[in-house]
Amino acid sequence: MPRSRYLLRWKLSRIKGANSAEQAEHWIPATVPGAVQLDWAAAHQLPDYQEGPHLNAWQEMENSAWQYRAIPGEVPPLQPDERLFLVLQGVDYACEVSLNGERLLQHTGMQTPIELDVTERWHPGVQLDVLIHPAPKAPGAPHGRSQARESCKPAVSYGWDFHPRLIPLGLWQETFLEVRSPLHFSQPPQISYALSEDCRAAQGQLQVVLNAPARKGMTLEWHLIDPEEKRVLSCEEKIEQGQSRRAIEFSLEAIQPWWPHDQGSPSLYHSEIILKASEGEVCDRHCHRIGFRQVRLVMAPGEWEMPNTFPKSRSRPPITLEINGRRLFAKGSNWVCPDIFPGRLERAHYEEQLQLVRRNHLNILRLWGGAPALKESFYELCDELGIMVWQEFPLACNDYPDTAAYLAELDQESRSLILRIRRHPSLVLWCGGNELFNNWSGMTDQSHALRLLNRNTFDLDPATPFLPTAPIDGMGHGHYVFRDPQTGEEAWAVFQKASCTAYSEFGCPAPAPLEVLKRILPEAELWPPRRGTTWESHHAFGVWMSESWLNLPEIEHYFGPCSTLEELVERGQLLQSAGYQGLYEEARRQKPVASMALNWCFNEPWPTAANNSLVAWPCVPKPALAAVGEACRPTLASARIRKFSWTPGELFDPEIWLLHDGPDALEPMEVSVWLEQDGLRRHLLSWLPGPILPNTNCRGPRAQCVLPEFEGPLFTLFLEVKDRPDWSSAYRLVKTRGISPAAPREGETRALNL
Amino acid sequence: MPRSRYLLRWKLSRIKGANSAEQAEHWIPATVPGAVQLDWAAAHQLPDYQEGPHLNAWQEMENSAWQYRAIPGEVPPLQPDERLFLVLQGVDYACEVSLNGERLLQHTGMQTPIELDVTERWHPGVQLDVLIHPAPKAPGAPHGRSQARESCKPAVSYGWDFHPRLIPLGLWQETFLEVRSPLHFSQPPQISYALSEDCRAAQGQLQVVLNAPARKGMTLEWHLIDPEEKRVLSCEEKIEQGQSRRAIEFSLEAIQPWWPHDQGSPSLYHSEIILKASEGEVCDRHCHRIGFRQVRLVMAPGEWEMPNTFPKSRSRPPITLEINGRRLFAKGSNWVCPDIFPGRLERAHYEEQLQLVRRNHLNILRLWGGAPALKESFYELCDELGIMVWQEFPLACNDYPDTAAYLAELDQESRSLILRIRRHPSLVLWCGGNELFNNWSGMTDQSHALRLLNRNTFDLDPATPFLPTAPIDGMGHGHYVFRDPQTGEEAWAVFQKASCTAYSEFGCPAPAPLEVLKRILPEAELWPPRRGTTWESHHAFGVWMSESWLNLPEIEHYFGPCSTLEELVERGQLLQSAGYQGLYEEARRQKPVASMALNWCFNEPWPTAANNSLVAWPCVPKPALAAVGEACRPTLASARIRKFSWTPGELFDPEIWLLHDGPDALEPMEVSVWLEQDGLRRHLLSWLPGPILPNTNCRGPRAQCVLPEFEGPLFTLFLEVKDRPDWSSAYRLVKTRGISPAAPREGETRALNL
C-alpha cells in the first residue's frame, strides 16, 4: 500500500526565560509551517513589526525557549509489518523532541529533517512535544551578524543593512506522521545521468533502495514521459528476492534538454516509479520531474593567455556558464528571500516573484548565503520557469571556525541540502557563501568549512560546479551607489574601467514606492526624511555608508533639493533605473570576458524605506525592475555613455552597440540614433549592423555631437531598430545642475572646439 | 611473536613486444628495488645512457612487458593462526601478480603497496610472477609529457627540458613475505595530536587496530621518549577482550616542538608501542619518531586590505607558512629527484643532497609534481634535518581528465601517499601539482582531479594546508633566464618590479661543471658547443627558449665571445650565481608580502650540459649553490642593485638592507659599504641599523656615487658588518661591454651630472 501521511496540528507555549527545564503553561494556537513569533504576535495582537516602531516587541522573543505540543488527532492504523514515523521536515533551529515526557532526540539545524520511528510509542492520548531553544549565538560575539558565526543559522536574521534583527524560530516546514512499510522505497529513487558530447542523448541509471529486502516476485516499473506527454521509456524489472537495492541502466536518444528560458524550453520529463508486489499490488510510487542538462564553468576567450608576463601567476578561474555545451551570459539578481519568516512562504509567494524574474529576462538567481533557506516549491518553480539557481550554503560575512562542533553541524546541514535539491535541473552552481575571502569575513582557501563544502558537493553532486565563495579572483562586487560621494565617480564609469569575469553584485539604491512608504512610516515622519525616525530604522540612513540607502545628497547632486516626497521618490527611482540600465548593459558589452551580471538585490524580506532591491516587500516592483528588464532583453541596441549628467556645449559621444545573447543568428538591421531635448529630435547617425552570430555582440560607431542648449532637466538618447521596436532602447540623461550653459568647464574646451 | 619479514629475490625476463600473453624465456638477474632497464642494461652491457649518444638503446624498453619471477627461497614457518602475506611495496607501474600461473591480481599505480594473503598457496617450489606492463600512455596523445595525462605515472619520464625520455618500470620498492598473526597491529598505530594555542602542550590520541579481536588479558604498552632520551610518557592499558581497536588519549606539557632547522631544533620524540599477550609475551612492536608541530598558511600583513577598489574582488590567498605560531620566510628549492630511476635511490643518496640543502640555509623543498616519488628515508631525513616538505601529487603540465578511470587511479594513489607520509612533521604543505591552472596545462578549480585531492587531503590530513596547484593567485613562476633575450630585461629587474606573495619557481641557467661536461660529451664535441651534438641532447639548446639552457648569446652579451670551454663554464656559472643571489635577496627584501623563494631547481636526474639546477648529477654542486647559501643566511647585509652591468660615469645607487629571518632580536650593528674596482676600495657609506626585531628586515640608505673609470671586466660591492663577517656580503658586477667610458649613453646624462 503506498505511503500515507497524517499532518500534525500544534499548539505553542512560551517558556519564561531561556531555561528549557521550565514548564510550558499557557498555550496559544500555532500555525505550522510558520514561526513562534508569528503565533505569539497573533495570539497577543502585537502590532505589525513592519510598521513604525513596533519591532522591539518582536525582537526579544529570540531569547525565549518555546514548546510546541501536538494536538491529539487520529491514530494511524498500521498493518503488522508497518512502522509509524514522526517526520519534522524542518525545525528552526535547535530543538528537543519528547514523547510522553521522555526526550527522544536533540537536534540542531534547519535543513536536516527529523525522522523518528514512533511505532511502539504512538497511542491515543500520546503527548508529543518539540522544545525550541532560543536563537543560537556564538559565545562572546557582539550583537549582530557575528553571533551567527558558529552555526548554520542564516546570518541575515541577526541584522543587516536591509534587514532588521529578527530571528525566526519554530517549525518552518511540514510536520506529519508517515506510515512506512518494508515494501516502500526508503529514500526517493535517484536518477543520475550524463549527456553525450552533443547533449542530445543521455545515459544513466535509476537507483532505488527499499526499506527491507524484497520479497519474492516484486517488480519495479518505470515510466518516463516527455514534455509532449509521449512515453519515451517504459520498463518493468524484477527485483531479486532478498535484495533491497535495484538499479536500472537506461539510455535515451533525441532528448529535449532543459534550457534556461532565454535559450530554449525548460523541458521537464515526468518520471513515475512504481514498486509492485508479486500479485501486482502497488507497494509504493514515486513521481517527480527530471530535466536533462549538462553544466560547466568554462574559461572566457583570451583568459588562458593571461597573465603573460613573468613572474607568471595562474589564469583567472572560469566563471562562464556553459549549459548543454552552449556558453551563455548569466543575467540575474541576488535573491535575499521575500520574507523574514521563511516558514510562512508558500509556492504562490515564490511564484509571483519568479514570474517577475522571468518576465524581465533574468535567467539566474544567486541564493545569497546570508538568507534563509527555501522550500521545495521554489526549486520546482525554477525548474518550470527555466531560471538557473546559484545555491549558496549558509555562510556570509563571518569567519566560520575550524572547530569540530561547527564543522559537524555544517557537514550535516550541507549534506541535507545537497541531497534534497541536487535533482533539480535549475541548480547550476554550488557556492560556499558570501564574500568569505574578504577582510570583513576573514576566511581563506584553507578554511576547513570551505574544504568540507568542496568535499560534500564533490561527493554528492560532482557534476555541478562549486565555488568556495563569491567573489573569487576575477569576479567583482559593488559598487553600491549611483555615485560615490567620496570620489565623485559614477557607477557607470566604474564598470567601464573594470574588466571582471563576472559582476555578481552591484547595487543602486532607491526609495521604496510611495505606497510602501506610506504604510510603514508614521504620517508625521513621512516628510521630510530625517535621521532618528522610522526612516532610519527602515534603512534609509547610516546602515552602510553614512547616507545609505536613501542617499539624499546624491539625489540632490543631480536634481537639487526635493520639495515633496513624491518628487524624492521619483528622482531616486530614476537614478536607480538609469544606474542599473547602464550597469547591466556595460557588463553585457564586456562579453565574452564578462559572463555574468547580477544586481544586488532582487527582493527584500521586509519593507525598507530605501534599498538596492528591484522589488519592494512583499512584491511591489520598483521602476528599476522594468529598466533591468529592458537592459536584459536577449537582443537590444545599447549605448555606452560616459556619464549621466551633461552640460550643453560638451562633446556628447555615446558608443553604439548591438547586444545579442540569443541562441540564433540575426539578419542585418538598421539602427538609427536620435537625441531628444525639450521635445526636439535630432538624428545623430544610422548604422547597419549584421549579420550577427548567435550569442555575439556587435560594437558599432561612436555618435558625436556638441550637445545643444536645452531647458532640461532631462534629455533622452534613442536607439531605434527599424521594424524591431522590441530591440530599441532609450536612455534618460540629466542636464548638469548649476552650470551656466555658456561657460564650459575647464578641461572641456577640446570638446567644445570640435 | 613480533612480525618477521623474508626479503624476496628475483630474476627478470623481457617479453618480446608488449603482448603480455607471450612467454618469458631468457632470464637475467634482477636487482630489487630497481628498474627493469637497469637490469637489462647490466645483463647486456649497454653503454651508460648518460654518455654520448647511447640513450636510444634504453628508450625502446618502455614498450616491452617484463616478467619478474621470484627465486625460490626459504618457506617461512607459520604458527597455526598465522598468515603469510606477499608484500610488494611499490610496483612501477601496471602489473599482474600470478602464483603458479594463476593470476591473483591486476594492479596499477606505484604508490599503492600490494598485499596478498598467500598462506594457502605458498609452498616449496612455488612460482611467483609479476608481469610488468609497458609504460602507460594516454591513447592518442603525441609523444611527450601528455602521454602521462591519464595516469599517475610521473610526467617527467616522458621527456622534459632537463630530462630525457626514459620511463622507469619495475619493482621500485622493497618486496618481501611477512608473517602476520591475529595478535599483530593490522596497520601502523596512528598518533594524532593538536597543539595548544601557545604550541607548548599537545593533546592527542594513540589509535591501534589489531588483525583480530583481542584475546583475554592483552595489553598495550606505550613509551614516548623525548629528544634528550627522557621518558615523558609511559603507560600500559588493557585491551578489552573481543575488541580489535584501542585508543589512548594523552596530553603532554612543555613539549619541544619540531622546528625547521633555521628556527630551532627539529626535535623528534621516539615512540615505542608494544602489544602484549596476557603472559606478557610481546606480540607486536611498533617504533617510530614523532615531531610535534602546527602548520598554517596565514595572510601577509596588508593583504586583507586589498583589493580596495570597486568592483571588489577577493583578497589574495594566504601563502605565508606559520610553524608553531611563528611566521617564517620559506627559502628553498624545487626538488626534481636526483635520479631518473627512483628505485635505485637509497638513504645515502638523499642524505648527501639534503645535507647540502641544510648547509646552504634552505628550509623547504617543493617536491615538484612532475618528478618520481621518493622512498620513506627521504622523509625521515627531512624530519631529522629540519627541512620542510611541500609535497605535490603526480600531476604536472597536463590536463588530467574528469574520467572515472583516471579519478579512480588518482584516488587510490593519493590516499596511499597521504596515509604513508602524513605522520612526518616535515610535511607542511600538500599541493595538487605543477602549473595546472596555466594554459600549457588547462585545468581549473573545477577539475575533478583537484577537487578529489582537496577532499582526500581534507579527509586524511586536515591539519596540513592544501594548494590545488602552484602558482595560485599571488604566486609567481619564472623568469628562467638571467636576461630575457626578447625584452632585454634582467631577472633582477623583473623581481624588483614584482610583488608576489611567493616566488615558487625562478631559474638562472648555467653550464654543468667541467668534470661533468667532460664525462658526458664526446671529446670531439666538447668545444665549441654546437647544436646537433651531444650538447643538444643534454639540453644545452632549444629545449625551452631557443637558446636554453646554455644561453650562449646572453653570456656573450656580458662578456663577449668565449675562447675556451673553461671560460664559458666560468662565465655562465658566474651569471647563474649572480642571478640567484639577486633573486633570493630581492624576494627576501619583499617580506612580509613575499614569504617564499624557491629556485628552479635544486638537483637533476641526469647530467645535463646546462640547466637551472644548483647541483649537477649525481651530487656535484655548482658555484651557484654557495651563492644561494650566502643569500639565504638567516641574517645578512644585502644590496638592491638595479642591474648587473654598469658603465663608468653612471650613477651607481645600490640600496642597502639588513635582512633578518632569524627568531631572535638583533643588537645594533655597523654596516660599511665599499666599492672595489681594479683592486682599489672606496668607502661609500656607513650605516648603523638596529636594534632589529625577530624575523624583520631593515631597509637602509641608498648609496650613491658616479661610477669611476675602471679596467674591469668585473667590480665588486662589499657590505661589511663590523665584527660579523658571517653577515657581510659581496656582489660581483660587470662593466658594460663595448661602451666607451667617455661617452655616456643617452638618457644617462642626469646621472652623470650628479
Side-chain angles (χ1 to χ4, degrees):
Chain A
M1 194 159 66
R3 58 189 66 209
S4 41
R5 288 182 174 180
Y6 302 82
L7 286 186
L8 292 167
R9 292 178 308 121
W10 302 84
K11 58 186 179 179
L12 179 68
S13 172
R14 184 174 184 172
I15 309 287
K16 298 258 180 281
N19 187 346
S20 62
E22 286 182 46
Q23 203 64 37
E25 281 177 4
H26 306 288
W27 295 97
I28 59 174
T31 300
V32 172
V36 298
Q37 287 94 339
L38 298 172
D39 294 334
W40 184 262
H44 297 83
Q45 281 140 21
L46 292 193
D48 190 347
Y49 61 85
Q50 297 183 349
E51 291 165 21
H54 306 307
L55 184 62
N56 285 358
W58 290 68
Q59 289 175 325
E60 46 151 8
M61 289 190 250
E62 70 184 46
N63 294 318
S64 292
W66 303 79
Q67 181 109 310
Y68 282 96
R69 180 163 294 170
I71 292 166
E74 182 182 3
V75 174
L78 294 182
Q79 301 298 317
D81 59 355
E82 287 178 336
R83 310 294 301 174
L84 187 66
F85 273 76
L86 166 67
V87 180
L88 310 176
Q89 288 196 313
V91 184
D92 189 1
Y93 181 76
C95 72
E96 296 170 21
V97 180
S98 305
L99 265 189
N100 301 318
E102 182 194 351
R103 195 169 73 189
L104 299 185
L105 183 86
Q106 281 193 293
H107 176 91
T108 302
M110 63 190 293
Q111 286 289 356
T112 308
I114 293 173
E115 306 196 353
L116 279 174
D117 185 334
V118 294
T119 314
E120 275 77 32
R121 299 167 191 266
W122 200 267
H123 49 75
V126 67
Q127 182 181 303
L128 168 64
D129 288 317
V130 178
L131 176 72
I132 307 287
H133 290 250
K137 293 172 194 171
H143 192 84
R145 71 172 185 236
S146 61
Q147 290 176 311
R149 75 179 173 209
E150 293 181 17
S151 82
C152 297
K153 182 84 177 142
V156 79
S157 314
Y158 294 76
W160 220 267
D161 61 68
F162 62 94
H163 190 300
R165 183 183 180 97
L166 187 43
I167 310 176
L169 294 172
L171 299 170
W172 79 283
Q173 294 259 45
E174 294 290 352
T175 61
F176 50 84
L177 296 167
E178 187 172 78
V179 177
R180 297 184 182 176
S181 119
L183 305 183
H184 282 166
F185 300 124
S186 73
Q187 48 190 259
Q190 199 196 332
I191 297 171
S192 55
Y193 64 84
L195 297 194
S196 59
E197 196 53 37
D198 65 0
C199 296
R200 304 194 56 177
Q203 278 213 311
Q205 198 183 50
L206 164 71
Q207 284 179 295
V208 304
V209 187
L210 311 189
N211 276 327
R215 297 181 189 163
K216 196 176 167 193
M218 289 185 75
T219 57
L220 186 66
E221 206 177 297
W222 183 27
H223 307 288
L224 196 63
I225 294 139
D226 79 6
E228 280 78 43
E229 313 218 332
K230 203 178 90 198
R231 188 171 287 198
V232 291
L233 187 155
S234 211
C235 62
E236 186 165 357
E237 302 276 338
K238 288 186 180 156
I239 305 180
E240 208 177 324
Q241 188 177 359
Q243 296 295 311
S244 57
R245 289 172 181 272
R246 182 69 163 95
I248 298 177
E249 309 284 332
F250 71 94
S251 65
L252 278 178
E253 300 294 322
I255 54 162
Q256 301 175 40
W258 181 93
W259 286 105
H261 65 82
D262 61 335
Q263 296 291 320
S265 175
S267 303
L268 296 173
Y269 288 63
H270 179 81
S271 160
E272 185 176 17
I273 302 159
I274 305 161
L275 185 66
K276 286 184 174 171
S278 58
E279 308 78 26
E281 185 204 1
V282 171
C283 304
D284 203 356
R285 180 193 305 268
H286 184 84
C287 295
H288 73 285
R289 289 179 303 179
I290 313 165
F292 293 98
R293 62 106 186 96
Q294 181 198 72
V295 55
R296 291 190 186 126
L297 290 180
V298 297
M299 299 286 279
E303 286 293 314
W304 275 126
E305 282 61 54
M306 301 297 290
N308 58 7
T309 54
F310 289 111
K312 205 163 272 196
S313 187
R314 61 163 295 178
S315 295
R316 299 196 291 186
I319 195 65
T320 302
L321 278 164
E322 186 202 80
I323 304 289
N324 305 330
R326 188 191 296 169
R327 285 157 188 262
L328 49 86
F329 195 96
K331 293 172 295 219
S333 191
N334 281 272
W335 175 276
V336 300
C337 204
D339 204 275
I340 287 175
F341 295 101
R344 67 169 159 184
L345 289 173
E346 294 174 2
R347 182 179 164 103
H349 299 108
Y350 299 139
E351 183 162 17
E352 190 181 2
Q353 301 219 340
L354 292 174
Q355 289 287 5
L356 291 179
V357 168
R358 174 163 171 162
R359 206 174 307 138
N360 286 288
H361 305 293
L362 302 179
N363 60 17
I364 191 167
L365 289 173
R366 174 181 175 230
L367 306 196
W368 176 67
L374 300 168
K375 295 178 182 172
E376 204 49 21
S377 54
F378 176 86
Y379 301 97
E380 284 165 4
L381 281 160
C382 290
D383 288 349
E384 293 165 21
L385 295 171
I387 297 167
M388 296 182 289
V389 172
W390 160 341
Q391 176 71 51
E392 300 200 345
F393 291 98
L395 294 84
C397 297
N398 274 321
D399 184 5
Y400 295 84
D402 288 357
T403 56
Y406 171 68
L407 293 173
E409 194 171 310
L410 180 64
D411 188 41
Q412 167 209 287
E413 288 284 276
S414 60
R415 285 179 181 274
S416 297
L417 180 65
I418 298 164
L419 290 171
R420 175 160 72 89
I421 68 173
R422 65 180 175 181
R423 71 177 181 85
H424 291 283
S426 54
L427 179 77
V428 298
L429 191 55
W430 294 107
C431 178
N434 184 63
E435 294 169 2
L436 302 172
F437 291 163
N438 293 90
N439 62 347
W440 49 93
S441 297
M443 298 181 79
T444 77
D445 312 72
Q446 301 303 327
S447 295
H448 285 194
L450 301 177
R451 297 189 63 190
L452 180 151
L453 293 173
N454 171 60
R455 178 193 70 188
N456 288 358
T457 51
F458 182 67
D459 280 348
L460 302 175
D461 188 25
T464 305
F466 169 79
L467 302 179
T469 187
I472 53 169
D473 186 31
M475 297 167 72
H477 279 198
H479 209 329
Y480 301 92
V481 288
F482 187 91
R483 177 177 174 276
D484 189 306
Q486 278 150 17
T487 65
E489 197 173 34
E490 287 176 349
W492 289 4
V494 169
F495 263 38
Q496 287 170 21
K497 280 195 315 201
S499 63
C500 293
T501 55
Y503 297 91
S504 37
E505 280 193 15
F506 52 90
C508 278
L514 262 183
E515 62 180 274
V516 173
L517 293 173
K518 287 182 173 167
R519 186 171 68 71
I520 61 174
L521 306 180
E523 199 177 340
E525 294 184 356
L526 265 174
W527 186 254
R530 267 196 290 256
R531 286 172 197 269
T533 69
T534 320
W535 280 93
E536 184 159 345
S537 54
H538 282 262
H539 319 292
F541 294 107
V543 283
W544 187 58
M545 294 169 104
S546 152
E547 300 290 343
S548 294
W549 290 118
L550 187 57
N551 284 11
L552 262 179
E554 295 306 315
I555 298 173
E556 292 180 351
H557 169 83
Y558 290 105
F559 300 103
C562 301
S563 49
T564 64
L565 180 63
E566 287 71 12
E567 205 170 52
L568 171 68
V569 169
E570 187 187 349
R571 291 172 175 181
Q573 294 188 339
L574 170 62
L575 281 188
Q576 185 186 40
S577 299
Y580 278 137
Q581 180 186 27
L583 295 177
Y584 273 97
E585 291 187 16
E586 178 58 27
R588 292 183 63 180
R589 284 189 290 265
Q590 293 177 17
K591 183 175 79 173
V593 169
S595 65
M596 280 194 179
L598 290 82
N599 87 302
W600 179 267
C601 50
F602 187 75
N603 43 17
E604 57 185 28
W606 86 325
T608 63
N611 188 11
N612 292 300
S613 65
L614 299 174
V615 174
W617 189 95
C619 192
V620 187
K622 297 182 188 171
L625 178 62
V628 168
E630 294 285 296
C632 292
R633 285 171 290 165
T635 305
L636 76 156
S638 168
R640 176 181 272 153
I641 308 171
R642 286 188 285 118
K643 54 182 189 158
F644 181 62
S645 150
W646 293 84
T647 307
E650 273 187 294
L651 183 72
F652 179 66
D653 56 356
E655 188 178 77
I656 312 304
W657 287 65
L658 199 288
L659 304 183
H660 179 53
D661 292 349
D664 303 315
L666 302 183
E667 295 296 312
M669 66 194 80
E670 183 179 338
V671 179
S672 55
V673 180
W674 301 81
L675 185 64
E676 185 181 280
Q677 293 166 304
D678 302 339
L680 278 177
R681 280 193 147 212
R682 283 170 232 261
H683 179 255
L684 297 188
L685 63 79
S686 287
W687 173 45
L688 305 172
I692 289 173
L693 295 173
N695 193 23
T696 302
N697 295 333
C698 184
R699 186 175 185 166
R702 183 183 291 280
Q704 295 202 148
C705 78
V706 175
L707 195 68
E709 265 309 336
F710 67 110
E711 283 300 314
L714 297 174
F715 67 110
T716 308
L717 178 71
F718 287 100
L719 276 48
E720 293 182 351
V721 185
K722 191 173 172 189
D723 301 330
R724 292 304 300 250
D726 54 324
W727 295 354
S728 299
S729 301
Y731 301 85
R732 281 199 292 173
L733 301 161
V734 72
K735 180 170 163 179
T736 309
R737 205 169 65 84
I739 299 292
S740 156
R745 285 190 289 187
E746 202 181 344
E748 291 182 346
T749 44
R750 189 190 60 80
L752 288 168
N753 289 342
L754 282 170
Chain B
M1 194 161 64
R3 58 189 67 210
S4 40
R5 289 182 173 178
Y6 303 82
L7 286 185
L8 292 167
R9 291 179 308 122
W10 302 85
K11 58 185 178 178
L12 179 68
S13 172
R14 183 174 185 171
I15 309 285
K16 299 260 181 279
N19 187 346
S20 62
E22 286 182 44
Q23 202 64 37
E25 282 177 5
H26 305 289
W27 295 97
I28 59 173
T31 300
V32 172
V36 299
Q37 286 94 339
L38 298 171
D39 294 333
W40 183 263
H44 297 83
Q45 282 140 19
L46 292 193
D48 190 346
Y49 60 86
Q50 299 182 348
E51 292 165 20
H54 305 308
L55 184 62
N56 284 357
W58 290 69
Q59 288 175 324
E60 47 151 8
M61 288 188 251
E62 70 184 46
N63 294 317
S64 293
W66 302 79
Q67 182 109 308
Y68 282 95
R69 179 164 294 168
I71 293 165
E74 184 182 2
V75 173
L78 294 183
Q79 300 298 317
D81 59 355
E82 287 178 336
R83 310 292 302 173
L84 186 66
F85 274 77
L86 167 67
V87 180
L88 310 176
Q89 288 196 313
V91 183
D92 190 1
Y93 182 76
C95 71
E96 295 169 23
V97 180
S98 305
L99 265 188
N100 300 319
E102 182 194 352
R103 196 170 72 189
L104 299 184
L105 183 85
Q106 279 192 294
H107 176 91
T108 302
M110 64 190 293
Q111 287 290 355
T112 308
I114 293 172
E115 306 197 353
L116 279 174
D117 186 336
V118 294
T119 315
E120 275 76 31
R121 299 168 191 265
W122 200 267
H123 51 74
V126 67
Q127 181 181 303
L128 168 64
D129 289 316
V130 178
L131 176 72
I132 307 286
H133 290 249
K137 294 172 194 171
H143 192 82
R145 71 173 185 236
S146 62
Q147 291 176 311
R149 75 179 175 211
E150 292 180 18
S151 83
C152 296
K153 182 83 176 143
V156 80
S157 314
Y158 294 76
W160 220 267
D161 60 68
F162 61 94
H163 190 298
R165 183 183 180 98
L166 188 41
I167 311 175
L169 293 173
L171 298 170
W172 79 283
Q173 294 259 47
E174 294 291 351
T175 59
F176 49 84
L177 295 167
E178 188 173 77
V179 177
R180 296 183 182 177
S181 121
L183 305 183
H184 282 165
F185 300 124
S186 73
Q187 47 191 261
Q190 199 195 334
I191 297 171
S192 54
Y193 64 83
L195 297 194
S196 59
E197 195 54 37
D198 65 359
C199 297
R200 304 194 56 176
Q203 278 214 313
Q205 199 184 49
L206 164 70
Q207 283 179 296
V208 304
V209 186
L210 311 189
N211 276 325
R215 298 182 189 164
K216 197 175 167 195
M218 289 184 75
T219 57
L220 186 66
E221 207 176 295
W222 182 28
H223 307 289
L224 196 62
I225 293 137
D226 80 4
E228 281 78 44
E229 313 220 332
K230 205 179 87 195
R231 190 172 285 199
V232 292
L233 187 153
S234 212
C235 62
E236 185 166 358
E237 302 277 340
K238 288 185 180 156
I239 304 179
E240 209 176 327
Q241 187 177 0
Q243 297 294 311
S244 57
R245 289 172 180 273
R246 183 69 165 92
I248 298 176
E249 310 283 331
F250 71 94
S251 64
L252 279 178
E253 300 294 322
I255 54 162
Q256 303 176 39
W258 182 93
W259 286 105
H261 65 83
D262 59 335
Q263 297 291 320
S265 175
S267 304
L268 296 173
Y269 288 63
H270 179 81
S271 161
E272 185 177 16
I273 302 158
I274 305 162
L275 185 66
K276 286 185 174 170
S278 57
E279 309 80 25
E281 184 205 359
V282 171
C283 303
D284 203 356
R285 181 194 304 270
H286 184 85
C287 295
H288 72 285
R289 289 178 303 178
I290 312 166
F292 294 98
R293 60 107 186 96
Q294 181 197 73
V295 55
R296 291 190 187 126
L297 290 180
V298 298
M299 298 287 279
E303 286 292 314
W304 276 126
E305 284 61 55
M306 302 296 290
N308 60 5
T309 54
F310 289 111
K312 205 163 273 197
S313 187
R314 62 164 294 180
S315 295
R316 298 196 292 186
I319 195 65
T320 302
L321 278 164
E322 186 202 79
I323 304 288
N324 305 329
R326 188 192 295 168
R327 285 157 188 262
L328 49 85
F329 194 97
K331 293 174 294 224
S333 190
N334 281 273
W335 175 276
V336 301
C337 203
D339 203 276
I340 287 175
F341 295 100
R344 66 170 160 184
L345 290 173
E346 292 174 5
R347 182 178 164 105
H349 299 107
Y350 299 139
E351 183 159 18
E352 190 180 3
Q353 300 221 339
L354 292 173
Q355 289 287 5
L356 291 178
V357 168
R358 174 163 171 162
R359 207 175 304 139
N360 286 287
H361 305 293
L362 302 179
N363 61 16
I364 191 168
L365 289 174
R366 173 179 176 232
L367 306 195
W368 176 65
L374 301 168
K375 296 178 181 173
E376 203 52 19
S377 55
F378 176 86
Y379 301 97
E380 284 165 4
L381 282 160
C382 290
D383 289 348
E384 292 165 22
L385 295 171
I387 297 168
M388 296 183 288
V389 171
W390 160 341
Q391 176 71 50
E392 299 200 345
F393 292 97
L395 295 84
C397 298
N398 275 321
D399 184 4
Y400 295 85
D402 287 357
T403 57
Y406 172 68
L407 295 173
E409 194 171 311
L410 180 64
D411 188 42
Q412 166 209 288
E413 287 285 277
S414 60
R415 286 179 181 274
S416 297
L417 180 66
I418 299 164
L419 290 171
R420 174 160 73 91
I421 68 173
R422 64 179 176 184
R423 70 178 182 83
H424 292 282
S426 55
L427 179 76
V428 297
L429 191 55
W430 295 107
C431 178
N434 183 63
E435 294 169 1
L436 303 172
F437 291 164
N438 291 90
N439 62 347
W440 50 92
S441 297
M443 298 181 79
T444 77
D445 312 72
Q446 301 303 327
S447 295
H448 285 197
L450 302 175
R451 298 191 63 193
L452 180 150
L453 292 172
N454 188 352
R455 177 194 70 186
N456 287 0
T457 51
F458 180 67
D459 280 346
L460 301 175
D461 188 24
T464 304
F466 169 80
L467 302 181
T469 188
I472 54 169
D473 188 31
M475 297 167 73
H477 278 198
H479 210 325
Y480 301 92
V481 288
F482 187 90
R483 177 177 173 276
D484 188 309
Q486 277 149 19
T487 65
E489 199 172 32
E490 286 177 348
W492 289 3
V494 169
F495 263 37
Q496 287 170 22
K497 280 195 315 199
S499 64
C500 294
T501 56
Y503 297 91
S504 36
E505 281 192 15
F506 53 89
C508 278
L514 262 182
E515 62 181 275
V516 174
L517 293 173
K518 287 182 173 167
R519 188 171 66 72
I520 61 173
L521 306 179
E523 200 177 340
E525 294 183 356
L526 265 175
W527 187 255
R530 268 197 289 256
R531 286 174 197 267
T533 69
T534 321
W535 280 92
E536 183 159 345
S537 54
H538 282 263
H539 318 293
F541 294 107
V543 284
W544 186 57
M545 294 169 105
S546 151
E547 300 290 343
S548 295
W549 292 116
L550 187 58
N551 284 11
L552 262 179
E554 295 307 314
I555 298 174
E556 292 180 353
H557 169 83
Y558 291 105
F559 300 102
C562 301
S563 50
T564 64
L565 180 63
E566 287 71 14
E567 204 171 53
L568 170 68
V569 169
E570 186 187 350
R571 291 173 175 181
Q573 292 187 341
L574 169 62
L575 281 188
Q576 185 186 40
S577 299
Y580 278 137
Q581 180 186 27
L583 295 178
Y584 274 98
E585 291 188 17
E586 177 58 27
R588 293 185 62 181
R589 284 189 290 265
Q590 293 177 18
K591 183 174 80 174
V593 170
S595 65
M596 280 194 179
L598 290 84
N599 87 301
W600 180 266
C601 50
F602 187 75
N603 43 17
E604 56 185 29
W606 86 324
T608 62
N611 187 11
N612 292 299
S613 66
L614 299 172
V615 174
W617 189 93
C619 193
V620 187
K622 297 181 187 171
L625 178 63
V628 168
E630 293 286 296
C632 292
R633 285 170 290 166
T635 306
L636 76 157
S638 168
R640 176 181 272 154
I641 309 171
R642 287 189 284 118
K643 53 183 190 157
F644 181 63
S645 149
W646 293 85
T647 307
E650 274 187 294
L651 183 72
F652 179 66
D653 55 356
E655 188 179 77
I656 312 304
W657 288 64
L658 199 289
L659 304 183
H660 180 52
D661 293 348
D664 303 315
L666 302 182
E667 295 296 313
M669 66 194 81
E670 183 180 337
V671 179
S672 55
V673 180
W674 300 81
L675 186 64
E676 186 181 280
Q677 295 167 303
D678 302 338
L680 282 177
R681 281 193 146 211
R682 283 169 232 262
H683 180 256
L684 297 189
L685 62 80
S686 287
W687 172 45
L688 305 172
I692 288 173
L693 296 173
N695 192 23
T696 301
N697 295 332
C698 185
R699 186 175 185 165
R702 183 183 290 280
Q704 295 201 148
C705 78
V706 175
L707 196 67
E709 264 308 335
F710 67 111
E711 283 301 312
L714 296 174
F715 67 110
T716 308
L717 178 72
F718 287 100
L719 276 49
E720 293 184 351
V721 184
K722 193 176 172 188
D723 301 329
R724 291 303 303 248
D726 54 325
W727 296 352
S728 299
S729 302
Y731 300 85
R732 282 200 289 173
L733 300 161
V734 72
K735 179 169 162 181
T736 308
R737 203 170 66 86
I739 300 292
S740 157
R745 283 191 290 187
E746 204 182 343
E748 290 181 346
T749 43
R750 189 189 58 84
L752 288 168
N753 289 345
L754 283 171

